[in-house]
Amino acid sequence: MSFTRLCLLLLPLPLAAQVASEAVATRAPLKETPFLSLDLGSVDARGWLAHQLRLQADGLTGHAEEVIPELGPESGWRGGTGEAGEKGPYFIRGLVSLAYVADDPKLKAQAQKWIEAILASQRPDGQIGPTSNEDWWPRMVILWTLRDYQEATKDPRVIPLMTKYCRFMLKRMPRQPLEEWAKARAGDQIDTVQWLYKRTGDAFLLDLAGLLEKQANRWNTFYRSLVGGPGDFRIEHGVNVSQGMKFAVANYERTGKRDDALVFGDAWTTLRRSHGLSIGMWSGTEPLAGKSTTQGIEMCSIVEQMLSNEVAMEVLGDPLIGDRHERIAFNLLPGGTTKEFKQFQYYTLPNAPVAQRNFKGTLPFSDDHGDDLLCSPHSGFHCCCYNLHMGWPKYVQHAWMATSDGGLAAMAYGPTLVSVRLGDTPVTIEEETDYPFSDVLKFTVSPGKPLAFPLKLRIPSWSVNPRVAVNGEFVSGVKTGEFLTIQRTWNAGDKVVAEFPAELATENGYNGSASLWRGPLVFSLRIKEDVKPVTLFPGGFDEVEFTPASPWNYALDIDRAKPQAKLSRAPKMPDNPWLPETTPIKLTVSAKRLPGWGLVRDDRMAAEVPPSPAKSDQPLEEVTLVPFGAQTLRITAFPLLRGMPVLEPGLNYSYRHGGDAAEVILTNPTPSSSRGEGIPRLTFWNHLGTAEWLQWTFDKPEEVSSSSVYWFDDTGSGRCRVPESWRLMYLDGAEWKPVKASGGFGIAKDRANRVSFEPVKTQALRIEVQLEDGVSAGVLQWTKGS
């Protein structure tokens, strides 16, 4: 998006006489925002979306306190002596959201136990929560929970407690500055502090927001370079990256700076360029992990990115954010949870035909916990099992927003009902749709009396010839990638019908693979699944392993530029569209099996997707693709049988230690020694004795006749050494071939190891490295010459 267009989105809008009563208008000197979040509970789910919330209430969210011991009565956040970190706060934030979005009395009563304990915990100095832990970070989550609860209930105790705590923060932070997770995730607190300022007008809150910004990670700089600075805490950690995207957005409300306004879009571009997966987001296992199909996305990152999107939609008003938001919600969120919402996977991968427990260190994740692909009520590190609960309810909560000019806006689609008061008039809008499984959305507008106000609809950028009609009359000005404003006097029963037709499209992925999208849905191979419980828990909350009961190693026979598939729809919309047997939409495509593409790493993972175009002597078959969220086992990044290789410029790698450099090794100055003092490095740590690779893809084919590698070696302080051996490959069409070198491939320390070879014209070089037994290796500098 151009800066000019963004400025138009961000210009102050004319104030209506009164915004929706369920929203709070911006208070000067904060910037006017195009949209305003509605109070929790203003939007109800309908249809399949309501059923999803019911499954969640009857599943892991409603029973988490029984299944996960840390959430029991001894929790420090319930007044006990137990867990006092982020676990309880994460859970209660999701529980409160679900309880009030679903209007569930049982969940509300369950949440109230936590709320009462938290409200009773405030000390005379303003501090809240367990005395055993004074960390700022978990209290950031608690304050977000309290703001949700206050919106839903108007409990008069909440605003005074939050105000007193914020005064405590402002007084204490100069001598107890933000550290670690709080430093990385300060954007959450800034947003909450400004939420409070809009309601109280207390000027000290703006001072607190400024202090939080000053003590936080330098996110604006990071999102442009993906390189952290001195003092930044785990800035490449995937969850931090997703939460950090609120930082500049919240600051923009207060500062009005051009740079803050642009960061969110810049971040999306740089993250996708270096770490993007073709399933709607970027990798993080747990740190950012490149584009390989053997990497995935942490569940915490999925739900935190959704929340950051929701904040950004309100403040920036960019409809493209809504498109991206739906792709995460309709694919990654259901894809990472089992279909009855009783288990989840810590990492969600584009290609995962197996979901089993493994020995730690078997899988190529920087953080391999041994159960990251296992479907479990507490898969992986114990954070996501507490945090995933807010995903669906917060999607519903922010599906509609108020507009600054006195109207309502459909921000993210699905079957919902929004109820507000505009001035003194109650207004409801019911959205009836099977979206995203259908292209048609029907809105019934029902004001208590005839009322003039603007209704804004987000027109998806992927839509082909979208149409909108009011009471049967088509309206003009419908443009993809923009908001359509319908300004009129509305009468009870007015009908708005929107149609967003979609065409099949491919998105390029690693090794020239392709993922097949239709609108907001990406499709995966239908794989029959054998399910085996491995650890039993009461109520069916077992840990279960999934293995394939049908072939999965297919290459699609489609044209990348104009993909064709047979689309079929179910005659009736099921309650649960994420069951693969009854999914409401399917694709049928031609494909061939690739017998050489199999399982690796103790049969716990699919090998890297083969390069496209792939060759196969197998017969052509018809295979079924279903929405990504309808499968636990899946292949989504497919090799193709047709076309030319697709190469993305830049550096790729088999594995990179989290926090290490990446592309900068291509531009580093020559180091003074292999210890690399002051030089960013890329290492394969903690892979020991393994075969690894680095791949350098150029913008266009070049003639190359030499290359040099400066190895990292920290003998005496670490376990990285020069490798046992290496060789250099070049890409010839779709095939990797070894260069014809005139000398050996050097492994000397403290100098560049240069190799000359017969000139080749290629678009990519690859270093294949064999590490010495028991140690790892790294690279400080890689150069090429002609």
Side-chain angles (χ1 to χ4, degrees), residues 133-393:
N133 183 348
E134 299 292 316
D135 188 358
W136 295 118
W137 157 236
R139 291 167 172 83
M140 294 180 179
V141 186
I142 285 295
L143 254 66
W144 200 297
T145 303
L146 290 175
R147 77 188 240 189
D148 283 340
Y149 171 74
Q150 195 279 334
E151 288 180 1
T153 66
K154 307 304 180 194
D155 189 321
R157 298 173 293 173
V158 174
I159 296 293
L161 178 141
M162 293 178 67
T163 301
K164 187 175 180 180
Y165 175 74
C166 287
R167 289 190 185 278
F168 167 78
M169 282 196 79
L170 185 62
K171 182 178 180 180
R172 177 68 68 88
M173 279 179 60
R175 66 177 188 274
Q176 184 191 333
L178 301 181
E179 294 181 341
E180 297 187 345
W181 302 107
K183 190 172 186 176
R185 299 169 177 180
D188 289 47
Q189 187 76 332
I190 294 170
D191 193 77
T192 295
V193 167
Q194 292 171 185
W195 175 96
L196 185 59
Y197 171 77
K198 294 172 190 177
R199 286 153 177 79
T200 68
D202 290 331
F204 84 90
L205 292 169
L206 300 182
D207 295 333
L208 176 57
L211 182 59
L212 286 160
E213 178 186 5
K214 183 178 180 181
Q215 293 189 3
N217 278 2
R218 301 297 89 198
W219 284 112
N220 289 26
T221 301
F222 172 80
Y223 286 126
R224 270 63 180 263
S225 65
L226 299 188
V227 177
D232 288 333
F233 177 76
R234 296 193 67 176
I235 201 162
E236 277 203 9
H237 180 69
V239 182
N240 288 344
V241 168
S242 288
Q243 287 191 254
M245 289 181 74
K246 301 182 195 73
F247 180 76
V249 173
N251 287 333
Y252 174 73
E253 267 199 279
R254 191 181 71 262
T255 68
K257 293 180 180 178
R258 174 181 183 272
D259 186 62
D260 289 333
L262 295 176
V263 169
F264 191 89
D266 290 346
W268 201 280
T269 299
T270 56
L271 288 165
R272 294 282 293 161
R273 183 175 64 231
S274 296
H275 303 281
L277 301 177
S278 58
I279 54 175
M281 217 172 133
W282 44 87
S283 67
T285 55
E286 294 174 353
L288 298 174
K291 296 184 175 184
S292 168
T293 60
T294 65
Q295 299 298 321
I297 307 165
E298 186 181 336
M299 176 56 72
C300 275
S301 296
I302 293 169
V303 294
E304 291 290 357
Q305 187 61 49
M306 289 177 63
L307 186 57
S308 289
N309 292 343
E310 289 153 359
V311 171
M313 287 193 297
E314 176 182 1
V315 175
L316 301 179
D318 184 353
L320 182 59
I321 300 172
D323 294 356
R324 291 166 169 169
H325 181 59
E326 288 184 350
R327 287 189 161 196
I328 294 173
F330 295 147
N331 298 289
L332 298 176
L333 184 56
T337 53
T338 53
K339 310 319 160 195
E340 300 296 330
F341 212 91
K342 290 189 173 183
Q343 299 88 8
F344 76 101
Q345 290 174 291
Y346 191 66
Y347 296 141
T348 299
L349 277 62
N351 292 346
V354 177
Q356 292 182 292
R357 184 180 277 116
N358 61 274
F359 291 110
K360 291 183 180 181
T362 301
L363 301 184
F365 308 143
S366 182
D367 288 273
D368 177 9
H369 305 93
D371 60 352
D372 298 317
L373 302 183
L374 183 71
C375 293
S376 165
H378 39 67
S379 177
F381 186 79
H382 288 190
C383 54
C384 296
C385 60
Y386 305 98
N387 199 19
L388 63 85
H389 308 278
M390 70 171 174
W392 283 120

Side-chain angles (χ1 to χ4, degrees), residues 278 422 749:
S278 58
L422 298 179
K749 290 171 52 176

Side-chain angles (χ1 to χ4, degrees), residues 412-690:
Y413 292 114
T416 54
L417 175 72
V418 59
S419 303
V420 299
R421 295 188 71 86
L422 298 179
D424 62 353
T425 305
V427 176
T428 64
I429 302 178
E430 184 174 12
E431 180 181 352
E432 299 174 90
T433 183
D434 294 335
Y435 185 93
F437 310 98
S438 168
D439 302 336
V440 179
L441 305 95
K442 300 177 181 179
F443 303 87
T444 302
V445 184
S446 299
K449 61 183 179 183
L451 186 67
F453 65 88
L455 172 63
K456 296 180 184 289
L457 302 180
R458 195 192 95 252
I459 310 301
S461 59
W462 46 258
S463 183
V464 180
N465 299 320
R467 303 188 298 173
V468 176
V470 178
N471 295 332
E473 297 288 332
F474 288 107
V475 301
S476 61
V478 181
K479 297 180 180 179
T480 59
E482 297 186 4
F483 278 97
L484 170 70
T485 300
I486 306 173
Q487 177 71 62
R488 70 191 305 271
T489 298
W490 299 92
N491 295 286
D494 279 347
K495 304 288 186 182
V496 179
V497 178
E499 185 177 4
F500 302 142
E503 292 181 350
L504 291 179
T506 59
E507 182 172 328
N508 294 338
Y510 192 73
N511 266 355
S513 61
S515 293
L516 198 57
W517 287 84
R518 186 182 186 279
L521 293 176
V522 66
F523 286 80
S524 300
L525 180 70
R526 172 73 174 104
I527 302 174
K528 295 180 181 179
E529 300 167 336
D530 282 336
V531 183
K532 175 185 176 183
V534 292
T535 308
L536 302 181
F537 291 97
F541 296 93
D542 305 329
E543 293 186 321
V544 291
E545 293 186 335
F546 286 69
T547 52
S550 61
W552 58 265
N553 50 352
Y554 285 97
L556 301 186
D557 185 30
I558 60 172
D559 185 329
R560 189 186 301 272
K562 295 181 179 180
Q564 299 292 320
K566 179 184 176 182
L567 186 149
S568 58
R569 298 182 184 275
K572 181 181 178 181
M573 181 69 179
D575 288 336
N576 186 355
W578 308 118
L579 293 173
E581 300 83 4
T582 56
T583 182
I585 186 171
K586 297 179 181 179
L587 301 177
T588 304
V589 297
S590 297
K592 290 184 178 182
R593 290 191 65 188
L594 300 181
W597 185 20
L599 300 177
V600 294
R601 297 182 180 268
D602 200 20
D603 289 341
R604 293 309 197 260
M605 171 175 282
E608 185 63 82
V609 60
S612 294
K615 296 180 180 180
S616 174
D617 59 2
Q618 299 296 298
L620 205 61
E621 302 179 42
E622 296 292 299
V623 297
T624 300
L625 308 186
V626 297
F628 183 94
Q631 284 279 161
T632 295
L633 303 185
R634 64 179 67 89
I635 297 295
T636 318
F638 290 94
L640 300 186
L641 295 170
R642 306 188 206 170
M644 295 296 293
V646 174
L647 300 173
E648 291 194 43
L651 185 75
N652 280 298
Y653 33 81
S654 57
Y655 175 78
R656 177 189 66 122
H657 176 61
D660 279 359
E663 292 193 13
V664 69
I665 69 170
L666 306 178
T667 57
N668 268 344
T670 301
S672 59
S673 76
S674 285
R675 296 195 66 83
E677 291 89 346
I679 297 290
R681 60 180 179 264
L682 184 154
T683 72
F684 304 115
W685 177 259
N686 54 1
H687 286 194
L688 310 177
T690 53

